Amino acid sequence: MPRGRYSLHDPHDHTPLAEERFHCAPGPSGWRYVSQLTTPSGTSSGTPSEGATRTGTPAGSVDLALDDRGRPIRLELHASGWQVRAAALDGVTWVRTDPTGDHATEGNVRAHAFTGSSPAFLVATARLLRLTPDASATRVRLVAFTDPVLAPRTLDQSWALMTREAHATDNGPLTVEEYQVTALDTGEQHTVHLSGDVVLSAPGIELEDLESPPSVFA
């Protein structure tokens, strides 16, 4: 069960945005990722590796579960008092609740899955597509819940698996996959490096700490 910490920053000016402390694991019915986010400043206890104590203001949470085909069977997000609960149902369906709890809005889009700022969504999209290095790019429609208020936005991306390479480590070979992701509305491209269910690098995401090796999907 991988457990660790990502730092999230603005991909353009590198302003620190949050730290995301996570654990995730595959199971017989799919994969689950759970995380807590904190802002760079404030006073709140955390539980980092090696027993050290870190501080930060709670900034939200992510709870994502996929089935064995990579489809999101449950998603729950919290940020800035807002809450989203969602799943793959007639496309994708969600309920977004405002901070007062007095109003809730429902949405449904013919899309494949969800995305957002959490590294979990990169792993989830790669798991859903299951690309091979010799395959052409695949188009995918996603609903993004954008910060800071989890506003939904539908977008189209193109994913291509460029390379899959095994690297020797002290714990055995580590398979690293390099994806090229293209935003189809702007043509902007970026690179994502994954190993199993851990994001090694991506725009705005840095893996700061990992207590155990990535899980290997069957």
Side-chain angles (χ1 to χ4, degrees), residues 157-178:
Q157 293 180 340
S158 172
W159 280 62
L161 177 55
M162 309 304 291
T163 62
R164 177 183 287 141
E165 298 180 347
H167 299 265
T169 71
D170 293 339
N171 296 316
L174 182 72
T175 300
V176 177
E177 298 178 329
E178 178 185 334

Side-chain angles (χ1 to χ4, degrees), residues 40-195:
S41 62
T43 55
S44 176
S45 61
T47 310
S49 63
E50 300 180 356
T53 299
R54 297 183 62 89
T55 61
T57 301
S61 63
V62 178
D63 189 343
L64 172 64
L66 308 180
D67 66 11
D68 59 357
R69 296 174 60 185
R71 297 173 300 185
I73 55 176
R74 186 181 71 255
L75 172 64
E76 185 168 335
L77 301 174
H78 294 266
S80 302
W82 293 84
Q83 174 181 285
V84 166
R85 291 183 176 178
L89 181 65
D90 295 328
V92 295
T93 300
W94 67 91
V95 176
R96 176 172 174 265
T97 305
D98 65 296
T100 66
D102 295 332
H103 305 283
T105 57
E106 297 183 5
N108 173 264
V109 172
R110 290 292 179 182
H112 300 96
F114 303 102
T115 190
S117 60
S118 173
F121 294 113
L122 297 176
V123 177
T125 303
R127 180 63 176 161
L128 176 70
L129 298 178
R130 304 192 186 201
L131 302 175
T132 57
D134 57 348
S136 58
T138 297
R139 179 170 180 158
V140 60
R141 173 158 289 183
L142 305 169
V143 172
F145 294 109
T146 56
D147 298 327
V149 295
L150 304 179
R153 180 171 68 93
T154 304
L155 54 85
D156 294 301
Q157 293 180 340
S158 172
W159 280 62
L161 177 55
M162 309 304 291
T163 62
R164 177 183 287 141
E165 298 180 347
H167 299 265
T169 71
D170 293 339
N171 296 316
L174 182 72
T175 300
V176 177
E177 298 178 329
E178 178 185 334
Y179 292 87
Q180 184 179 82
V181 181
T182 304
L184 295 182
D185 57 346
T186 65
E188 181 180 2
Q189 293 184 334
H190 61 268
T191 301
V192 173
H193 289 91
L194 303 180
S195 180

